[in-house]
Amino acid sequence: MQQPTPTFQLTKDNYHSREANQHYMSVSQFKQAMTCEAAMIAELKGEFTRPHSTALSVGSYLHAAFESDEAFAQYAEENHDSIFKARGGKYADYEKADEMIETIKNDRFCMFALEGEKEVIMTGELFGAQWKIKVDNINHQRGFFTDLKSTQELAKRYWSEKYSNYVSFVQAYDYVLQMYVYREIIYRNTGRYYNPYIVAVTKESPPDKAVLHFDSERFSFESEYIQLLLPSMLEAKAGTKNGHRCEKCAYCRATKQLESSFEIEYLLD
Ligand SMILES: [Zn+2]
């Protein structure tokens, strides 16, 4: 299932389709399977759909603003009713997003870090799987790529089981893992290791912003982490084993059938 068939051509239009996700591993699929393999497989089969998230739509709006004026106008037109109130003006989430867009546009360094080709799709092999990536911004002349991220505040701490430590939003949302995969797949396409950057903008009023780079030593941990978890995910995708159930997510709660009782001690993680 992870090998692309010659009949499947990955394009901008089918990039997020179920068929594309069946053929390719992606960072978002990997992250979903880190939480729950069973839910990831159910979604691939069309048996489960994740609930709609406003945060995700606002993220797409933000990205469209930096892709091109045409992409932004098209996004606003296609999602008119979720962006604009019937009585005029935009809903609060989009008013906030506009403020975040202005914050980035008014900072010359942020805009410098976002110079390049937008929404670039690439595929490549990594640890026995074919991956697909869509890079927010890539600059071949200067050898870097950029991802645009919104977050609550730059210095917020999150507890991470993965790192066994308090971490920033960048590790908490596995953006280091994302940058590692993108860097490897870009290398397979260009023969060069590009430098990853994150342009981060906060939802505060007024928004804060930062351009972040990564010490390359961080990537060896992510490489080992992916090699540890990927084989099981690929087996689940190939149907040679059942995906591991987390027993906590929406999919697991909806499909759970109890077989025994457990001692109250095990209620807490
Ligand atoms: Zn689950």
Side-chain angles (χ1 to χ4, degrees):
M1 213 162 168
Q2 69 268 24
Q3 292 298 323
T5 61
T7 54
F8 188 75
Q9 188 65 45
L10 189 67
T11 66
K12 195 176 188 283
D13 293 328
N14 68 19
Y15 185 86
H16 292 291
S17 69
R18 250 186 331 116
E19 200 184 4
N21 291 334
Q22 284 163 0
H23 282 90
Y24 293 98
M25 179 53 71
S26 68
V27 170
S28 64
Q29 188 174 107
F30 186 92
K31 282 161 68 173
Q32 198 190 357
M34 275 169 64
T35 313
C36 187
E37 282 179 1
M40 183 270 277
I41 297 297
E43 197 167 323
L44 277 186
K45 290 182 178 166
E47 296 166 359
F48 171 68
T49 313
R50 272 179 285 181
H52 171 82
S53 129
T54 308
L56 222 65
S57 306
V58 175
S60 305
Y61 177 84
L62 193 68
H63 276 79
F66 291 96
E67 187 181 345
S68 65
D69 291 344
E70 298 80 55
F72 192 52
Q74 194 189 336
Y75 189 89
E77 196 184 309
E78 286 170 5
N79 300 275
H80 187 277
D81 293 350
S82 35
I83 300 169
F84 297 96
K85 294 185 218 172
R87 287 181 188 179
K90 291 177 186 176
Y91 287 104
D93 287 327
Y94 292 92
E95 293 276 5
K96 171 66 64 190
D98 283 343
E99 209 184 336
M100 292 157 82
I101 291 164
E102 284 310 304
T103 297
I104 296 171
K105 287 193 169 169
N106 290 332
D107 188 86
R108 285 174 62 188
F109 195 77
C110 282
M111 292 309 281
F112 178 65
L114 285 167
E115 272 173 22
E117 221 179 302
K118 301 293 185 290
E119 305 290 326
V120 177
I121 292 170
M122 289 184 183
T123 60
E125 190 273 341
L126 184 63
F127 307 131
Q130 287 290 331
W131 294 69
K132 63 179 167 96
I133 63 169
K134 187 152 85 172
V135 190
D136 286 353
N137 178 68
I138 186 162
N139 191 311
H140 293 293
Q141 288 75 39
R142 301 209 298 269
F144 74 80
F145 64 98
T146 325
D147 214 81
L148 183 62
K149 301 291 188 196
S150 60
T151 189
Q152 285 180 299
E153 41 183 289
L154 294 174
K156 188 172 173 179
R157 283 161 188 265
Y158 301 79
W159 174 256
S160 165
E161 294 288 338
K162 174 182 169 184
Y163 296 100
S164 308
N165 211 337
Y166 281 100
V167 298
S168 75
F169 76 95
V170 178
Q171 292 103 323
Y173 289 94
D174 271 305
Y175 297 152
V176 189
L177 185 148
Q178 182 189 351
M179 294 298 109
Y180 165 73
V181 171
Y182 281 24
R183 192 167 172 263
E184 291 295 332
I185 301 303
I186 292 168
Y187 173 75
R188 277 149 185 74
N189 284 268
T190 64
R192 276 170 79 196
Y193 276 112
Y194 285 30
N195 291 321
Y197 292 94
I198 282 179
V199 171
V201 59
T202 73
K203 296 169 185 171
E204 296 161 296
S205 223
D208 202 355
K209 70 260 179 188
V211 178
L212 308 168
H213 67 261
F214 298 81
D215 280 342
S216 52
E217 299 91 83
R218 294 187 187 277
F219 298 131
S220 53
F221 177 84
E222 305 302 329
S223 165
E224 283 170 29
Y225 187 79
I226 293 172
Q227 290 178 70
L228 195 68
L229 271 67
L230 186 62
S232 165
M233 296 175 189
L234 294 179
E235 279 180 50
K237 276 187 85 171
T240 53
K241 65 154 231 180
N242 289 327
H244 176 74
R245 292 172 58 91
C246 75
E247 301 298 0
K248 288 175 192 164
C249 72
Y251 171 74
C252 287
R253 294 197 310 272
T255 54
K256 193 185 284 188
Q257 286 289 324
L258 300 183
E259 282 168 1
S260 60
S261 64
F262 59 84
E263 214 282 329
I264 64 166
E265 161 82 14
Y266 301 106
L267 280 170
L268 304 184
D269 285 331

